[in-house]
């Protein structure tokens, strides 16, 4: 799934699942991504870039990496090892026109839950059609 989306961008990647079931994406070292990677780090700590704009491409990759339907909402998974990023990502998602609810691990998270017909339509519009190999039932739709 993620490999197909990355292939669309002409990025060769290895996709693995760790022991906890989290998706890990590995690519060869790419100098064109070092600046982007650096924006997400403050020393050894993961941070959200202050000017993060979640456009369709970013949301598409997020949905591929950790998106899923749960009841009547769409969940976008968050890094459980970087809880300081959760609220900033919720705010960035809201700025993209997608207000969401921050869910804790006890509630099925950590994740951001998008609910409501208009919001789900907006998410589906931003991410576009499901990439080849991705089950339609797992992809954002209104």
């Amino acid at each position: 799934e993620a490999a197909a989306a990355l292939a669309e961008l002409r990025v060769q990647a290895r996709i693995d699942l760790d022991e906890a079931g989290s998706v890990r994406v590995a690519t060869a070292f790419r100098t064109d991504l070092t600046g982007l990677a650096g924006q997400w780090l403050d020393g050894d700590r993961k941070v959200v870039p202050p000017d993060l704009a979640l456009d369709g491409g970013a949301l598409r990759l997020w949905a591929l990496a950790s998106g899923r339907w749960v009841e009547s909402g769409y969940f976008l998974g968050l890094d459980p090892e970087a809880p300081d990023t959760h609220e900033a990502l919720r705010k960035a998602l809201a700025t993209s026109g997608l207000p969401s609810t921050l869910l804790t691990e006890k509630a099925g998270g950590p994740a951001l839950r998008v609910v409501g017909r208009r919001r789900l339509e907006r998410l589906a519009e931003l991410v576009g059609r499901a990439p080849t190999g991705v089950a339609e039932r797992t992809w954002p739709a209104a």
Side-chain angles (χ1 to χ4, degrees), residues 88-134:
L89 287 167
R90 187 193 65 75
K91 287 179 180 176
L93 193 59
T95 300
S96 297
L98 294 167
S100 61
T101 305
L102 178 58
L103 301 176
T104 64
E105 287 185 44
K106 291 180 182 179
L112 296 176
R113 180 179 61 191
V114 178
V115 296
R117 183 181 53 81
R118 287 186 183 155
R119 292 175 187 164
L120 292 170
E121 285 174 356
R122 170 85 174 136
L123 178 60
E125 174 187 321
L126 287 168
V127 300
R129 297 179 66 186
T132 304
V134 173

Side-chain angles (χ1 to χ4, degrees), residues 6 38 40 53 55-56 62 69 94 96 104 107-108 110 119 126 132 136 138 141:
L6 289 167
W40 285 85
D55 60 12
W62 193 355
W69 282 102
S96 297
T104 64
R119 292 175 187 164
L126 287 168
T132 304
E136 291 285 336
T138 66

